Amino acid sequence: MDLSQRTQENVEYMIEAIKNKLRMATGAAMQASAFSVDRYEDIQEVYEIVMSKERLSISEVEALASELGQLRSK
């Protein structure tokens, strides 16, 4: 996947990958389509953080989930 392109498809791909990696129980509430291309760089930054770590602590998961909540389109 070429994540250098600012597309809605890439946003949705990154959100789904983040949800899978975080094993988010609230994944259904975090619809990938609720994220806008306007926040692409921010979403990509969260994606890169999540994907770079082998394991995440509970506090890291909570912080990342909070960040994703703030990035969702209102």
Side-chain angles (χ1 to χ4, degrees):
M1 174 88 28
D2 178 10
L3 297 179
S4 66
Q5 302 297 312
R6 289 176 47 117
T7 65
Q8 186 64 34
E9 181 183 4
N10 283 349
V11 168
E12 293 178 13
Y13 170 83
M14 288 188 288
I15 296 299
E16 291 301 323
I18 291 167
K19 284 174 20 182
N20 289 336
K21 180 89 174 198
L22 299 183
R23 294 183 183 91
M24 291 177 66
T26 59
M30 192 75 62
Q31 294 294 325
S33 59
F35 293 85
S36 170
V37 173
D38 295 339
R39 304 302 301 267
Y40 193 86
E41 286 81 13
D42 297 322
I43 295 166
Q44 189 171 24
E45 186 176 325
V46 173
Y47 171 81
E48 289 171 357
I49 291 167
V50 170
M51 294 303 143
S52 71
K53 296 187 173 261
E54 176 115 3
R55 290 198 173 95
L56 295 156
S57 69
I58 291 171
S59 60
E60 286 175 314
V61 171
E62 289 172 350
L64 290 163
S66 175
E67 180 69 19
L68 285 174
Q70 293 177 16
L71 293 176
R72 274 201 333 243
S73 301
K74 302 202 171 28

